[in-house]
Amino acid sequence: MKTTKELKELFAGGAKDELLKDIYIDEAVIDYQRQRYVDAISRYEKLYGCGDVEIYSAPGRSEIGGNHTDHQNGEVLAASINLDAIGIVGRLDGAVRVVSGNAPEIVISLDDLEKKESEKETTKSLIKGVLAGIREHGGQIGGFQAYITSDVLIGAGLSSSAAFETIIGTIVSGLYNDMKISPVDIAIIGQYAENVYFGKPCGLMDQTASSVGNLVHIDFADKKNPKIESVACDLEEYGYSLCITDTKGSHADLTDDYAAVPREMRAAAAVFGKEVLHDVTLPQLLEKAAEVREKAGDRAFLRAVHFVTENPRVREEVAALRAGDFQAFLRAVKASGDSSFKYLQNVYTNHDVQHQNVSVALAVSEAVLGGNGVSRVHGGGFAGTIQAFVKNEAVAEYKKVMDQTFGEGACSVLQIRKYGGMKVL
């Protein structure tokens, strides 16, 4: 541990610029990150005084491949990004005290980690769930005081909650377990906290991408024991950036749109006597096309076509990256986007065809980018964000046009970072 005074001097004087470049990749954000760390340490000092501290980080994530496949026991490719939560942390006996951003302080006794109905859907429930999960997994827990600040965009499909769960797990791993709790275990514990304590039935993709870092390929064939493998990808080496554009579309009244996707896929699977589409192949689906259409409906058939072609497409993306063939990877990303639009049909809601923010974003992207990149719907769809891989020399123009279309700051330029949850210092 170093003192807060020592750490502020190190960051303010530029002594940790190389470390920041290693974590955040983009030279353009180093001044911002340097000041961000100094400000976070100063905020910790105001809250808890000067003293010995450690610094931790956990990134947000972006879904790269496998649009709406996880709920059918399919495969996904997801990446950690260079937006993160950072925590300035000191040891404390018997309790956990956390201030997150500008929110009030949360105080938790280590003697009171029981799940409480009254605490559902609160930050406190996530912290308690992670602590309880670590203890149930055989890890050591202990007290700490922390100031946590995050620049992971809330509501943009980059999973700010997974970053928060991961940083809490990584803090406890660092302070009390010599960083020996594996990133996969931290992800599983984060999912447990969100499912059981927070009360949200999320999958494991978000937490795994945040905790493991870089790209992760996840196969949910066995949902209780998903297969997880890291996939190396250095966007800077290929000369590309990852751009996420918030189209400012409303998520109101979209619950049934989201719920209909897995519901209709399961209806198509039922024609084959299965609960989900995982083991259904494209030839099988085509052979029973008439029966699927009759029993489940045309849209269910089309969504099934998306799944049975998207699932192997994830493997294509992984194989292309492993072979260093970035253009083949981009072709698969583009094919994923086309399939989501045509077959999955999650780019706009049929209840309001006059508002098609995501459709507009994709049309503008295709017109502006030409051969300089590809775009696709990001995450659940219907509203929200799109994703684009853009050649670095075309990023400025692309961002300018997207900001003109959807408002200043709508387009964020990101990089895939190689680290998941980590101790910075």
Side-chain angles (χ1 to χ4, degrees):
M1 285 191 173
K2 291 185 179 295
T3 67
T4 52
K5 182 175 183 293
E6 289 172 327
L7 287 172
K8 277 203 295 186
E9 289 174 351
L10 286 171
F11 282 103
K16 294 299 176 183
D17 282 5
E18 283 303 310
L19 173 62
L20 294 175
K21 177 66 163 59
D22 187 42
I23 297 171
Y24 298 101
I25 305 150
D26 188 353
E27 193 79 49
V29 305
I30 300 307
D31 287 347
Y32 158 75
Q33 292 293 351
R34 187 192 304 125
Q35 190 59 51
R36 179 178 177 232
Y37 275 74
V38 170
D39 291 345
I41 297 166
S42 297
R43 181 82 166 105
Y44 176 93
E45 288 178 330
K46 289 180 181 178
L47 290 165
Y48 302 116
C50 301
D52 292 340
V53 294
E54 294 179 351
I55 303 178
Y56 293 84
S57 161
R61 73 99 185 98
S62 178
E63 171 207 289
I64 305 297
N67 198 212
H68 278 282
T69 54
D70 56 340
H71 49 69
Q72 300 297 299
N73 295 15
E75 300 180 39
V76 298
L77 182 64
S80 58
I81 56 173
N82 62 340
L83 298 176
D84 67 344
I86 60 171
I88 316 301
V89 186
R91 286 179 180 264
L92 183 68
D93 291 332
V96 169
R97 307 176 76 95
V98 174
V99 173
S100 179
N102 295 318
E105 183 184 54
I106 296 167
V107 182
I108 297 170
S109 169
L110 295 179
D111 296 325
D112 180 21
L113 297 182
E114 295 299 315
K115 179 185 66 171
K116 295 180 180 177
E117 193 68 26
S118 61
E119 293 174 350
K120 275 193 169 183
E121 299 185 9
T122 66
T123 303
K124 185 174 186 178
S125 70
L126 289 178
I127 300 171
K128 287 178 71 172
V130 171
L131 290 167
I134 289 174
R135 190 170 61 186
E136 289 179 20
H137 273 71
Q140 299 297 312
I141 64 172
F144 60 89
Q145 54 196 18
Y147 173 67
I148 295 174
T149 180
S150 177
D151 61 6
V152 182
L153 305 173
I154 296 174
L158 300 175
S159 204
S160 55
S161 59
F164 185 82
E165 294 151 14
T166 298
I167 199 169
I168 297 296
T170 307
I171 286 168
V172 178
S173 179
L175 289 180
Y176 295 103
N177 297 274
D178 299 320
M179 291 298 288
K180 290 181 179 177
I181 302 177
S182 77
V184 172
D185 282 342
I186 288 175
I188 292 169
I189 289 163
Q191 182 198 27
Y192 166 80
E194 194 155 341
N195 288 175
V196 177
Y197 276 69
F198 189 83
K200 179 182 176 182
C202 68
L204 189 60
M205 176 179 71
D206 297 348
Q207 290 83 359
T208 303
S210 178
S211 186
V212 174
N214 213 321
L215 264 72
V216 284
H217 173 213
I218 313 172
D219 185 347
F220 290 105
D222 180 355
K223 294 204 81 166
K224 292 184 178 179
N225 297 287
K227 294 180 181 178
I228 302 166
E229 60 175 348
S230 293
V231 183
C233 177
D234 184 349
L235 285 183
E236 193 171 52
E237 178 184 332
Y238 294 117
Y240 279 78
S241 291
L242 171 62
C243 296
I244 300 291
T245 298
D246 182 359
T247 70
K248 311 295 175 67
S250 172
H251 286 82
D253 301 321
L254 291 177
T255 300
D256 189 59
D257 289 284
Y258 292 123
V261 175
R263 183 174 67 239
E264 291 178 9
M265 285 187 180
R266 288 191 177 98
V271 175
F272 298 87
K274 302 179 183 297
E275 289 188 12
V276 294
L277 286 167
H278 178 266
D279 294 321
V280 177
T281 66
L282 182 59
Q284 289 172 337
L285 184 61
L286 295 177
E287 184 179 349
K288 288 197 172 186
E291 186 178 353
V292 173
R293 293 179 63 202
E294 179 186 354
K295 293 181 176 178
D298 284 354
R299 191 170 67 172
F301 171 76
L302 291 169
R303 285 175 164 169
V305 169
H306 167 77
F307 175 82
V308 300
T309 54
E310 179 78 349
N311 215 37
R313 195 175 292 120
V314 173
R315 295 191 289 273
E316 288 178 26
E317 291 177 348
V318 172
L321 290 173
R322 291 201 188 285
D325 190 344
F326 199 70
Q327 293 306 309
F329 166 75
L330 291 179
R331 287 193 294 272
V333 171
K334 178 70 164 61
S336 173
D338 290 346
S339 180
S340 293
F341 207 153
K342 291 191 295 185
Y343 306 133
L344 181 59
Q345 298 182 15
N346 69 329
V347 171
Y348 63 91
T349 173
N350 289 325
H351 304 303
D352 184 11
V353 296
Q354 294 307 315
H355 292 93
Q356 296 192 33
N357 297 48
V358 174
S359 307
V360 171
L362 293 171
V364 172
S365 294
E366 199 163 288
V368 172
L369 289 174
N372 290 321
V374 299
S375 62
R376 50 154 278 191
V377 62
H378 185 247
F382 299 108
T385 58
I386 70 158
Q387 170 192 90
F389 288 93
V390 183
K391 282 185 180 178
N392 288 340
E393 57 266 30
V395 165
E397 178 63 19
Y398 179 71
K399 177 173 171 51
K400 174 186 170 185
V401 174
M402 298 308 281
D403 284 353
Q404 284 175 347
T405 307
F406 297 102
E408 192 63 33
C411 181
S412 297
V413 183
L414 308 175
Q415 294 285 344
I416 296 174
R417 93 174 199 173
K418 57 189 172 184
Y419 301 111
M422 65 181 294
K423 181 193 288 188
V424 177
L425 284 169

